[in-house]
Amino acid sequence: MIYMSLTPSEIDALLISLRASFFATLFGLPFAILIAYVLARFRFPGHGLLNVVVHLPLVLPPVVTGYLLLLTLGRKAPLGAALETCCGIVFSFRWTGAALAAGIMAFPLIVRAVRLSIEAIDTRLEQSALTLGAHPVWVFLTITLPLALPGIVAGAILGFAKALGEFGATITFVSNIPGETQTLPSAIYSYTQIPNGDGPALRLVIIAIVISMAALFASEAMARRVKTRIIS
Amino acid sequence: MKGLEIAVTHTIGSFSLSLEFRSSAHLLAVGGPSGSGKTTLVNMISGLITPHSGMIRINGATVFDSDKKINIPVHKRRIGYVFQDGRLFPHLNVRSNLLYGKWFARKDSAIEFETVVKFLGLESLLSRGTAQLSGGERQRVAIGRALLSAPELLLMDEPLASLDQARKNDILPYIERLRDEIKIPIVYVSHNAQEIHRLADEILMLKDGTVESISANDKS
């Protein structure tokens, strides 16, 4: 019913948020799993540094992350310009940029969840698979990954929820263009800046709360289901 | 040469190990007190531990030689390893556990799945999850899984240590048949003198990281 009463630009904001968060999670997840595995299983010079860099978006002011993205991937920045000429990829002031910003902000949360579940796996099971003739990559795919699945699912959903709520980095990097880069949080922000905006803002706030809670419930439920399946 | 040739030195912290022996026994039992280096030895044979220096040869093939810079990785050594705690994969059922290593086994030397299942009496367990197995059943599955990877050598590290005497008596005949009927050399680690005496063709005794003795077992 709330959905019915939304204006077209509010529906756009909702859909952009969902789309950006979905792709942020989809593309972020494989990298997050890889980095979580490296951090959990290997000790090397630079281990601490990698860990700090991965966690940086969690502690930096989001506006700093957004500004750094603008400096590196903006259209006038060398890397951003190069990406556009070589592959036609543009991030600045597009919804793809919102997805990138959200993905980077959600990344540390996904890595943490996956890393914890990888660290909980008995490495002796992986050794045992090696002695049976499995190549280490195969061991990772058939032993490590399935056993880490509860953490991966929980991390992905948590990351999705975090991406959905991303505001500071997104608005700094891709601005707040209705129909293009305006996400749910930035639409709420816009309403709070205009007279009589409280009603519409509250409507969007309720949607945000419902989606976030649903994501958290889903995360818990999925993790439980996968866990019971693995144990039984 | 069929069997095992080893000359290695290794240090872990303050513990140093220096072993040299050869054996072509069907079943070589490795005994000695805790901390004498038994598990370190089998881990070096399997490749899970890389010795500091020396060489390891299995059935004439060099799997490790520090001078020639040879160190075959674990998954290419074709060693079956039965651990004390079974180490079955908890997310796979018994059948999938058994078949895990068969994917990588050379087809010509592979033992038939049905043969192994019958040999170890696993027919009724195939669709079970690993959590529903008793200790003895777990070890039988672990042995079957190792056999199906078509190993050149079977390592068994205290495979009965976590079982009570009744379960041990259940499994010992399987190991005896393994020794007598399946032509894969076995290295069997145990601190139990009775087990060693019953199973071994040859006995290697370790002490403080060195070979104390190696001799044929008089089973009479």
Side-chain angles (χ1 to χ4, degrees), chain B residues 97-182:
Chain B
N97 263 284
L98 286 169
L99 288 173
Y100 191 89
K102 198 168 173 26
W103 297 347
F104 318 104
R106 274 208 337 248
K107 297 292 168 275
D108 54 339
S109 55
I111 307 176
E112 288 298 319
F113 179 74
E114 286 74 19
T115 313
V116 168
V117 168
K118 207 170 152 215
F119 185 84
L120 292 162
L122 301 171
E123 293 91 340
S124 60
L125 307 177
L126 290 176
S127 56
R128 285 209 205 158
T130 56
Q132 295 157 278
L133 300 177
S134 70
E137 288 166 343
R138 294 177 72 82
Q139 285 311 75
R140 266 151 59 201
V141 174
I143 293 170
R145 186 177 68 171
L147 283 179
L148 282 165
S149 71
E152 291 277 335
L153 180 72
L154 198 56
L155 303 174
M156 306 181 93
D157 186 8
E158 303 268 11
L160 307 183
S162 55
L163 307 177
D164 58 42
Q165 194 55 49
R167 292 283 151 274
K168 281 182 191 174
N169 292 339
D170 284 349
I171 300 217
L172 278 166
Y174 288 110
I175 297 175
E176 284 174 319
R177 282 183 56 204
L178 204 64
R179 176 195 63 202
D180 300 336
E181 293 174 28
I182 294 180

Coordinates of all heavy atoms in Angstrom, one line a residue, chain B residues 97-182:
Chain B
N97 N 31.8 -39.1 0.5 CA 33.1 -39.1 1.2 C 34.0 -40.2 0.5 O 35.2 -39.9 0.2 CB 33.0 -39.4 2.6 CG 33.0 -38.2 3.5 OD1 34.0 -37.6 3.7 ND2 31.8 -37.8 3.9
L98 N 33.4 -41.4 0.3 CA 34.2 -42.5 -0.3 C 34.7 -42.1 -1.7 O 35.8 -42.4 -2.1 CB 33.3 -43.7 -0.3 CG 33.1 -44.4 1.0 CD1 32.0 -45.5 0.8 CD2 34.3 -45.1 1.5
L99 N 33.8 -41.4 -2.4 CA 34.1 -41.2 -3.8 C 35.0 -40.0 -4.0 O 35.5 -39.7 -5.1 CB 32.8 -41.0 -4.6 CG 32.0 -42.3 -4.9 CD1 30.7 -42.0 -5.5 CD2 32.8 -43.3 -5.7
Y100 N 35.3 -39.2 -2.9 CA 36.0 -37.9 -3.1 C 37.3 -38.1 -3.8 O 37.7 -37.4 -4.8 CB 36.2 -37.3 -1.7 CG 36.7 -35.8 -1.9 CD1 35.8 -34.8 -2.0 CD2 38.1 -35.6 -1.9 CE1 36.3 -33.5 -2.1 CE2 38.6 -34.3 -2.1 CZ 37.6 -33.2 -2.2 OH 38.1 -32.0 -2.3
G101 N 38.1 -39.1 -3.3 CA 39.4 -39.3 -3.9 C 39.4 -40.0 -5.2 O 40.4 -40.0 -6.0
K102 N 38.3 -40.7 -5.5 CA 38.3 -41.6 -6.7 C 38.3 -40.7 -7.9 O 38.8 -41.1 -9.0 CB 37.0 -42.4 -6.7 CG 37.0 -43.6 -7.6 CD 35.8 -44.5 -7.4 CE 35.6 -45.6 -8.3 NZ 36.8 -46.1 -9.1
W103 N 37.8 -39.4 -7.8 CA 37.8 -38.5 -8.9 C 39.3 -38.3 -9.4 O 39.5 -38.0 -10.6 CB 37.3 -37.1 -8.6 CG 35.9 -37.1 -8.1 CD1 35.0 -38.2 -8.3 CD2 35.2 -36.1 -7.5 NE1 33.7 -37.8 -7.8 CE2 33.8 -36.5 -7.3 CE3 35.5 -34.8 -7.0 CZ2 32.9 -35.7 -6.7 CZ3 34.5 -34.0 -6.4 CH2 33.2 -34.5 -6.3
F104 N 40.2 -38.4 -8.5 CA 41.6 -38.0 -8.9 C 42.5 -39.3 -9.1 O 43.7 -39.2 -9.5 CB 42.2 -37.2 -7.8 CG 41.3 -36.1 -7.3 CD1 40.7 -36.3 -6.1 CD2 41.0 -35.0 -8.1 CE1 39.8 -35.3 -5.6 CE2 40.1 -34.1 -7.6 CZ 39.5 -34.2 -6.4
A105 N 41.9 -40.4 -8.8 CA 42.7 -41.7 -8.9 C 43.0 -42.0 -10.4 O 42.2 -41.8 -11.3 CB 42.0 -42.8 -8.3
R106 N 44.2 -42.6 -10.7 CA 44.4 -43.0 -12.0 C 43.5 -44.2 -12.3 O 43.3 -45.1 -11.5 CB 45.9 -43.5 -12.1 CG 46.8 -42.4 -12.4 CD 48.1 -42.8 -13.2 NE 48.4 -44.2 -13.1 CZ 49.5 -44.6 -12.4 NH1 50.3 -43.8 -11.9 NH2 49.8 -45.9 -12.4
K107 N 42.9 -44.2 -13.5 CA 41.8 -45.1 -13.8 C 42.3 -46.6 -13.8 O 41.6 -47.5 -13.3 CB 41.2 -44.8 -15.1 CG 40.5 -43.4 -15.2 CD 39.2 -43.4 -14.3 CE 38.7 -42.0 -14.0 NZ 39.4 -41.2 -12.9
D108 N 43.5 -46.8 -14.3 CA 44.0 -48.1 -14.4 C 44.3 -48.8 -13.1 O 44.2 -50.0 -13.0 CB 45.3 -48.2 -15.3 CG 46.4 -47.2 -14.8 OD1 46.0 -46.3 -14.1 OD2 47.5 -47.4 -15.2
S109 N 44.7 -48.0 -12.1 CA 45.1 -48.6 -10.8 C 43.9 -48.5 -9.8 O 44.1 -48.9 -8.7 CB 46.3 -47.9 -10.3 OG 46.1 -46.5 -10.2
A110 N 42.8 -48.0 -10.2 CA 41.7 -47.7 -9.3 C 41.1 -49.0 -8.8 O 40.9 -50.0 -9.6 CB 40.7 -46.8 -9.9
I111 N 40.7 -49.1 -7.5 CA 40.0 -50.2 -7.0 C 38.5 -49.9 -7.2 O 38.1 -48.8 -7.0 CB 40.3 -50.4 -5.5 CG1 41.8 -50.5 -5.3 CG2 39.6 -51.6 -4.9 CD1 42.2 -50.5 -3.8
E112 N 37.7 -50.9 -7.5 CA 36.3 -50.7 -7.7 C 35.6 -50.3 -6.4 O 35.9 -50.8 -5.3 CB 35.7 -52.0 -8.2 CG 36.0 -52.4 -9.6 CD 35.6 -51.4 -10.6 OE1 34.4 -50.9 -10.5 OE2 36.3 -51.1 -11.6
F113 N 34.7 -49.3 -6.6 CA 33.9 -48.8 -5.5 C 33.2 -50.0 -4.8 O 33.3 -50.1 -3.6 CB 32.9 -47.8 -6.0 CG 32.0 -47.2 -5.0 CD1 32.4 -46.3 -4.1 CD2 30.6 -47.6 -4.9 CE1 31.6 -45.8 -3.1 CE2 29.8 -47.1 -4.0 CZ 30.3 -46.2 -3.1
E114 N 32.5 -50.9 -5.6 CA 31.8 -52.0 -5.0 C 32.7 -52.9 -4.2 O 32.3 -53.4 -3.1 CB 31.0 -52.8 -6.0 CG 29.8 -52.1 -6.6 CD 30.1 -51.0 -7.6 OE1 31.3 -50.9 -8.1 OE2 29.3 -50.1 -7.8
T115 N 33.9 -53.1 -4.7 CA 34.8 -54.0 -4.0 C 35.2 -53.4 -2.6 O 35.2 -54.2 -1.6 CB 36.1 -54.1 -4.8 OG1 35.8 -54.3 -6.2 CG2 37.0 -55.2 -4.3
V116 N 35.4 -52.1 -2.6 CA 35.8 -51.5 -1.3 C 34.6 -51.5 -0.3 O 34.8 -51.8 0.9 CB 36.3 -50.1 -1.5 CG1 36.5 -49.3 -0.2 CG2 37.6 -50.1 -2.3
V117 N 33.5 -51.2 -0.8 CA 32.3 -51.1 0.0 C 32.0 -52.5 0.6 O 31.8 -52.6 1.8 CB 31.0 -50.7 -0.8 CG1 29.8 -50.9 0.0 CG2 31.2 -49.2 -1.2
K118 N 32.2 -53.6 -0.2 CA 32.0 -54.9 0.3 C 33.1 -55.3 1.3 O 32.8 -55.9 2.3 CB 31.9 -55.9 -0.9 CG 31.1 -57.1 -0.6 CD 30.9 -57.9 -1.9 CE 30.7 -59.4 -1.5 NZ 31.3 -60.3 -2.5
F119 N 34.3 -55.0 0.9 CA 35.4 -55.3 1.7 C 35.3 -54.8 3.1 O 35.6 -55.5 4.1 CB 36.7 -54.8 1.0 CG 38.0 -55.1 1.7 CD1 38.6 -56.3 1.4 CD2 38.6 -54.3 2.6 CE1 39.8 -56.7 2.0 CE2 39.8 -54.6 3.2 CZ 40.4 -55.8 2.9
L120 N 34.8 -53.5 3.3 CA 34.8 -52.9 4.6 C 33.4 -53.0 5.2 O 33.1 -52.4 6.2 CB 35.2 -51.4 4.4 CG 36.7 -51.3 4.1 CD1 37.0 -49.9 3.6 CD2 37.6 -51.5 5.3
G121 N 32.4 -53.7 4.5 CA 31.1 -53.8 5.0 C 30.3 -52.5 5.2 O 29.7 -52.2 6.2
L122 N 30.4 -51.6 4.2 CA 29.8 -50.3 4.3 C 28.4 -50.2 3.6 O 27.9 -49.1 3.5 CB 30.7 -49.3 3.7 CG 32.1 -49.2 4.3 CD1 33.0 -48.3 3.5 CD2 32.1 -48.7 5.7
E123 N 27.9 -51.4 3.1 CA 26.7 -51.3 2.2 C 25.6 -50.5 2.8 O 24.9 -49.7 2.2 CB 26.2 -52.7 1.9 CG 27.1 -53.6 1.1 CD 28.1 -54.4 1.9 OE1 28.3 -54.0 3.1 OE2 28.6 -55.4 1.4
S124 N 25.3 -50.7 4.1 CA 24.2 -50.1 4.8 C 24.4 -48.6 5.2 O 23.5 -48.0 5.6 CB 23.7 -50.9 6.0 OG 24.8 -50.9 6.9
L125 N 25.6 -48.2 5.0 CA 26.0 -46.8 5.5 C 26.0 -45.8 4.5 O 26.1 -44.6 4.8 CB 27.3 -46.8 6.2 CG 27.6 -47.9 7.3 CD1 29.0 -47.8 7.8 CD2 26.6 -47.7 8.5
L126 N 25.9 -46.2 3.2 CA 26.2 -45.3 2.1 C 25.5 -44.0 2.1 O 26.1 -42.9 1.7 CB 26.1 -46.0 0.7 CG 27.1 -47.1 0.5 CD1 26.8 -47.8 -0.8 CD2 28.5 -46.5 0.4
S127 N 24.2 -44.0 2.4 CA 23.4 -42.7 2.3 C 23.4 -42.0 3.6 O 22.7 -40.9 3.7 CB 22.0 -43.0 1.8 OG 21.4 -44.0 2.7
R128 N 24.1 -42.5 4.6 CA 24.1 -41.7 5.9 C 25.0 -40.5 5.9 O 26.0 -40.4 5.2 CB 24.6 -42.7 7.0 CG 23.7 -43.7 7.4 CD 23.9 -44.1 8.8 NE 23.3 -45.5 9.1 CZ 23.7 -46.2 10.0 NH1 24.7 -45.8 10.9 NH2 23.2 -47.4 10.2
G129 N 24.6 -39.6 6.8 CA 25.5 -38.4 7.0 C 26.6 -38.9 8.0 O 26.5 -39.9 8.7
T130 N 27.7 -38.2 8.0 CA 28.9 -38.6 8.8 C 28.6 -38.5 10.3 O 29.2 -39.2 11.1 CB 30.1 -37.8 8.5 OG1 29.8 -36.4 8.7 CG2 30.6 -38.0 7.0
A131 N 27.7 -37.6 10.7 CA 27.4 -37.4 12.1 C 26.6 -38.6 12.6 O 26.6 -38.8 13.9 CB 26.5 -36.2 12.3
Q132 N 26.0 -39.5 11.7 CA 25.3 -40.6 12.2 C 26.1 -41.9 12.3 O 25.6 -43.0 12.3 CB 24.1 -40.8 11.3 CG 23.1 -39.7 11.3 CD 22.2 -39.7 10.0 OE1 22.7 -39.2 9.0 NE2 21.1 -40.3 10.1
L133 N 27.4 -41.7 12.2 CA 28.3 -42.9 12.3 C 28.9 -43.1 13.6 O 29.2 -42.1 14.3 CB 29.4 -42.8 11.2 CG 29.0 -42.6 9.8 CD1 30.2 -42.4 8.9 CD2 28.2 -43.8 9.3
S134 N 29.1 -44.4 14.0 CA 29.9 -44.6 15.2 C 31.3 -44.4 14.9 O 31.8 -44.3 13.8 CB 29.6 -46.0 15.7 OG 30.2 -46.9 14.8
G135 N 32.1 -44.4 16.0 CA 33.6 -44.2 15.8 C 34.2 -45.3 14.9 O 35.0 -45.0 14.0
G136 N 33.8 -46.5 15.1 CA 34.3 -47.6 14.3 C 33.9 -47.5 12.8 O 34.7 -47.7 11.9
E137 N 32.6 -47.1 12.6 CA 32.2 -46.9 11.2 C 32.9 -45.8 10.5 O 33.2 -45.9 9.4 CB 30.6 -46.6 11.3 CG 29.8 -47.8 11.6 CD 28.3 -47.5 12.0 OE1 28.1 -46.3 12.2 OE2 27.5 -48.4 11.9
R138 N 33.1 -44.7 11.3 CA 33.9 -43.6 10.7 C 35.2 -44.0 10.2 O 35.6 -43.6 9.1 CB 34.1 -42.5 11.8 CG 32.8 -41.8 12.3 CD 33.2 -40.8 13.3 NE 33.8 -39.6 12.8 CZ 33.1 -38.6 12.2 NH1 31.8 -38.7 12.1 NH2 33.8 -37.6 11.7
Q139 N 35.9 -44.8 11.0 CA 37.3 -45.2 10.6 C 37.2 -46.2 9.4 O 38.1 -46.1 8.5 CB 38.0 -45.9 11.8 CG 38.5 -45.0 12.8 CD 39.2 -43.8 12.3 OE1 38.7 -42.8 11.8 NE2 40.6 -43.8 12.4
R140 N 36.2 -47.0 9.3 CA 36.1 -47.9 8.1 C 35.8 -47.1 6.9 O 36.4 -47.3 5.8 CB 34.9 -48.9 8.4 CG 35.4 -50.2 8.9 CD 34.4 -50.9 9.7 NE 33.2 -51.2 9.0 CZ 32.0 -51.4 9.6 NH1 31.9 -51.4 10.9 NH2 30.9 -51.7 8.8
V141 N 35.0 -46.0 7.0 CA 34.7 -45.1 5.9 C 36.1 -44.4 5.5 O 36.4 -44.3 4.3 CB 33.6 -44.1 6.2 CG1 33.5 -43.1 5.0 CG2 32.3 -44.8 6.4
A142 N 36.8 -44.0 6.5 CA 38.1 -43.3 6.3 C 39.0 -44.2 5.5 O 39.7 -43.7 4.6 CB 38.7 -42.8 7.6
I143 N 39.1 -45.4 5.9 CA 40.0 -46.4 5.2 C 39.5 -46.6 3.8 O 40.3 -46.6 2.9 CB 40.0 -47.8 6.0 CG1 40.6 -47.6 7.4 CG2 40.7 -48.8 5.2 CD1 40.5 -48.8 8.3
G144 N 38.2 -46.8 3.6 CA 37.6 -46.9 2.3 C 37.9 -45.7 1.4 O 38.3 -45.9 0.2
R145 N 37.8 -44.6 1.9 CA 38.0 -43.3 1.2 C 39.5 -43.3 0.7 O 39.8 -42.9 -0.4 CB 37.7 -42.1 2.1 CG 37.7 -40.8 1.4 CD 37.3 -39.7 2.3 NE 38.3 -39.5 3.4 CZ 38.3 -38.4 4.2 NH1 37.3 -37.5 4.1 NH2 39.2 -38.3 5.2
A146 N 40.4 -43.6 1.6 CA 41.8 -43.6 1.3 C 42.1 -44.6 0.2 O 42.8 -44.4 -0.8 CB 42.7 -43.8 2.5
L147 N 41.5 -45.8 0.3 CA 41.8 -46.9 -0.7 C 41.3 -46.5 -2.1 O 41.9 -46.8 -3.1 CB 41.0 -48.2 -0.3 CG 41.7 -49.0 0.8 CD1 40.8 -50.2 1.1 CD2 43.1 -49.5 0.4
L148 N 40.1 -45.8 -2.1 CA 39.5 -45.5 -3.4 C 40.3 -44.4 -4.1 O 40.1 -44.1 -5.3 CB 38.1 -45.0 -3.2 CG 37.1 -46.2 -3.0 CD1 35.8 -45.8 -2.5 CD2 37.0 -47.0 -4.4
S149 N 41.2 -43.7 -3.4 CA 42.1 -42.7 -4.1 C 43.3 -43.4 -4.8 O 44.1 -42.8 -5.3 CB 42.6 -41.7 -3.2 OG 43.5 -42.2 -2.3
A150 N 43.2 -44.8 -4.8 CA 44.2 -45.6 -5.5 C 45.7 -45.3 -5.1 O 46.5 -44.9 -5.9 CB 44.1 -45.6 -7.0
P151 N 46.0 -45.3 -3.8 CA 47.3 -44.9 -3.3 C 48.4 -45.9 -3.6 O 48.2 -47.1 -3.8 CB 47.1 -44.7 -1.8 CG 46.0 -45.7 -1.5 CD 45.1 -45.8 -2.6
E152 N 49.6 -45.3 -3.7 CA 50.8 -46.2 -3.8 C 51.2 -46.7 -2.4 O 51.9 -47.7 -2.3 CB 52.0 -45.3 -4.3 CG 51.9 -44.9 -5.7 CD 52.4 -45.9 -6.6 OE1 53.2 -46.8 -6.2 OE2 51.9 -46.0 -7.8
L153 N 50.8 -46.0 -1.4 CA 51.1 -46.3 0.0 C 50.0 -45.8 0.9 O 49.4 -44.8 0.7 CB 52.4 -45.5 0.3 CG 53.0 -45.7 1.7 CD1 53.7 -47.1 1.9 CD2 54.1 -44.7 2.0
L154 N 49.7 -46.6 1.9 CA 48.7 -46.2 2.9 C 49.3 -45.9 4.2 O 50.0 -46.7 4.8 CB 47.7 -47.4 3.0 CG 46.3 -47.1 3.6 CD1 45.6 -46.1 2.8 CD2 45.5 -48.4 3.6
L155 N 49.0 -44.7 4.7 CA 49.5 -44.3 6.0 C 48.4 -44.3 7.0 O 47.3 -43.8 6.7 CB 50.0 -42.8 6.0 CG 51.1 -42.5 5.0 CD1 51.4 -41.0 5.0 CD2 52.4 -43.2 5.3
M156 N 48.6 -45.0 8.1 CA 47.5 -45.0 9.1 C 48.1 -44.5 10.4 O 49.0 -45.2 11.0 CB 47.0 -46.4 9.3 CG 46.5 -47.0 7.9 SD 45.9 -48.7 8.1 CE 44.2 -48.4 8.3
D157 N 47.6 -43.4 10.9 CA 48.2 -42.8 12.1 C 47.2 -43.0 13.3 O 46.2 -42.4 13.4 CB 48.4 -41.3 11.9 CG 49.1 -40.6 13.1 OD1 49.6 -41.4 14.0 OD2 49.2 -39.4 13.1
E158 N 47.6 -44.0 14.1 CA 46.8 -44.4 15.3 C 45.3 -44.5 14.9 O 44.4 -43.9 15.6 CB 46.9 -43.3 16.4 CG 48.3 -43.0 16.8 CD 48.7 -43.9 18.0 OE1 47.9 -44.8 18.4 OE2 49.8 -43.6 18.6
P159 N 45.0 -45.3 13.9 CA 43.6 -45.3 13.4 C 42.6 -45.9 14.4 O 41.4 -45.7 14.3 CB 43.6 -46.2 12.2 CG 44.8 -47.1 12.4 CD 45.8 -46.2 13.1
L160 N 43.1 -46.6 15.4 CA 42.2 -47.2 16.4 C 42.3 -46.6 17.8 O 41.5 -46.9 18.7 CB 42.6 -48.7 16.6 CG 42.7 -49.5 15.3 CD1 43.0 -51.0 15.6 CD2 41.4 -49.4 14.5
A161 N 43.1 -45.5 17.9 CA 43.4 -45.0 19.2 C 42.1 -44.4 19.9 O 42.0 -44.4 21.1 CB 44.5 -43.9 19.2
S162 N 41.2 -43.9 19.1 CA 40.0 -43.2 19.7 C 38.9 -44.2 19.9 O 37.8 -43.8 20.2 CB 39.6 -42.0 18.9 OG 39.3 -42.4 17.5
L163 N 39.1 -45.5 19.7 CA 38.0 -46.5 19.8 C 38.2 -47.3 21.1 O 39.3 -47.5 21.5 CB 38.0 -47.4 18.6 CG 38.0 -46.8 17.2 CD1 38.1 -47.8 16.1 CD2 36.8 -45.9 17.0
D164 N 37.1 -47.8 21.6 CA 37.2 -48.7 22.7 C 37.6 -50.1 22.3 O 37.6 -50.4 21.1 CB 35.9 -48.8 23.5 CG 34.7 -49.2 22.7 OD1 34.9 -50.2 21.9 OD2 33.6 -48.6 22.8
Q165 N 37.9 -51.0 23.2 CA 38.5 -52.3 22.8 C 37.6 -53.1 21.9 O 38.1 -53.7 21.0 CB 38.9 -53.1 24.1 CG 39.8 -54.3 23.8 CD 41.1 -53.9 23.1 OE1 41.8 -52.9 23.5 NE2 41.4 -54.6 22.0
A166 N 36.3 -53.1 22.2 CA 35.4 -53.8 21.4 C 35.4 -53.4 19.9 O 35.5 -54.2 19.0 CB 33.9 -53.7 21.9
R167 N 35.4 -52.0 19.7 CA 35.5 -51.5 18.4 C 36.8 -51.8 17.7 O 36.9 -52.1 16.5 CB 35.3 -50.0 18.4 CG 33.9 -49.5 18.8 CD 32.9 -49.7 17.7 NE 31.6 -49.9 18.2 CZ 31.1 -51.1 18.5 NH1 31.8 -52.2 18.3 NH2 29.9 -51.2 19.0
K168 N 37.9 -51.8 18.5 CA 39.2 -52.1 18.0 C 39.1 -53.5 17.4 O 39.6 -53.8 16.3 CB 40.3 -52.0 19.0 CG 40.7 -50.6 19.3 CD 41.8 -50.6 20.4 CE 42.0 -49.1 20.8 NZ 42.9 -49.0 21.9
N169 N 38.6 -54.4 18.2 CA 38.5 -55.8 17.8 C 37.7 -56.0 16.5 O 37.9 -56.9 15.7 CB 38.0 -56.7 18.9 CG 38.9 -56.8 20.1 OD1 40.1 -56.5 19.9 ND2 38.4 -57.1 21.2
D170 N 36.7 -55.1 16.3 CA 35.9 -55.1 15.1 C 36.7 -54.8 13.9 O 36.6 -55.3 12.8 CB 34.7 -54.1 15.1 CG 33.6 -54.6 16.0 OD1 33.7 -55.8 16.4 OD2 32.7 -53.8 16.4
I171 N 37.6 -53.8 14.0 CA 38.3 -53.2 12.9 C 39.6 -54.0 12.6 O 40.0 -54.1 11.4 CB 38.6 -51.7 13.1 CG1 37.3 -51.0 13.3 CG2 39.4 -51.1 12.0 CD1 37.2 -49.7 12.7
L172 N 40.3 -54.5 13.6 CA 41.6 -55.2 13.4 C 41.5 -56.2 12.2 O 42.4 -56.2 11.4 CB 42.1 -55.8 14.7 CG 42.8 -54.8 15.6 CD1 43.0 -55.4 17.0 CD2 44.1 -54.4 15.0
P173 N 40.5 -57.1 12.2 CA 40.4 -58.0 11.1 C 40.4 -57.4 9.7 O 41.0 -57.9 8.7 CB 39.1 -58.8 11.3 CG 38.8 -58.5 12.7 CD 39.3 -57.2 13.1
Y174 N 39.8 -56.2 9.6 CA 39.7 -55.5 8.3 C 41.2 -55.1 7.9 O 41.6 -55.2 6.7 CB 38.9 -54.2 8.4 CG 37.4 -54.5 8.4 CD1 36.6 -54.3 9.6 CD2 36.7 -55.0 7.3 CE1 35.3 -54.5 9.6 CE2 35.3 -55.3 7.3 CZ 34.6 -55.0 8.5 OH 33.3 -55.3 8.6
I175 N 41.9 -54.6 8.9 CA 43.3 -54.2 8.6 C 44.2 -55.3 8.2 O 45.0 -55.2 7.3 CB 43.8 -53.4 9.8 CG1 43.0 -52.1 10.0 CG2 45.3 -53.0 9.5 CD1 43.3 -51.3 11.2
E176 N 43.9 -56.5 8.9 CA 44.7 -57.7 8.6 C 44.4 -58.1 7.1 O 45.3 -58.5 6.4 CB 44.4 -58.8 9.5 CG 45.0 -58.6 10.9 CD 44.6 -59.7 11.9 OE1 43.4 -60.0 11.9 OE2 45.4 -60.2 12.6
R177 N 43.1 -58.1 6.8 CA 42.8 -58.4 5.4 C 43.3 -57.5 4.4 O 43.8 -57.8 3.3 CB 41.3 -58.5 5.2 CG 40.7 -59.8 5.8 CD 39.2 -59.9 5.6 NE 38.9 -59.8 4.2 CZ 37.7 -59.3 3.7 NH1 36.7 -58.9 4.6 NH2 37.4 -59.3 2.4
L178 N 43.3 -56.2 4.8 CA 43.9 -55.2 3.9 C 45.4 -55.5 3.6 O 45.9 -55.4 2.5 CB 43.8 -53.8 4.7 CG 43.8 -52.5 4.0 CD1 42.6 -52.4 3.1 CD2 43.8 -51.4 5.0
R179 N 46.1 -55.9 4.7 CA 47.5 -56.2 4.6 C 47.7 -57.4 3.7 O 48.6 -57.4 2.9 CB 48.1 -56.5 6.0 CG 49.5 -56.9 6.1 CD 49.8 -57.5 7.4 NE 49.0 -58.7 7.7 CZ 48.8 -59.2 8.9 NH1 49.2 -58.6 10.0 NH2 48.0 -60.3 9.0
D180 N 46.9 -58.4 3.8 CA 47.1 -59.7 3.2 C 46.5 -59.7 1.8 O 47.1 -60.4 0.9 CB 46.5 -60.8 4.0 CG 47.2 -60.9 5.3 OD1 48.3 -60.4 5.5 OD2 46.5 -61.4 6.3
E181 N 45.4 -59.0 1.5 CA 44.7 -59.1 0.2 C 44.9 -58.0 -0.7 O 44.8 -58.2 -1.9 CB 43.2 -59.3 0.5 CG 42.9 -60.6 1.2 CD 41.5 -60.8 1.6 OE1 40.6 -60.2 0.9 OE2 41.2 -61.4 2.6
I182 N 45.1 -56.8 -0.2 CA 45.3 -55.7 -1.1 C 46.8 -55.3 -1.2 O 47.4 -55.0 -0.1 CB 44.4 -54.5 -0.7 CG1 42.9 -54.9 -0.9 CG2 44.7 -53.2 -1.5 CD1 41.9 -53.9 -0.5

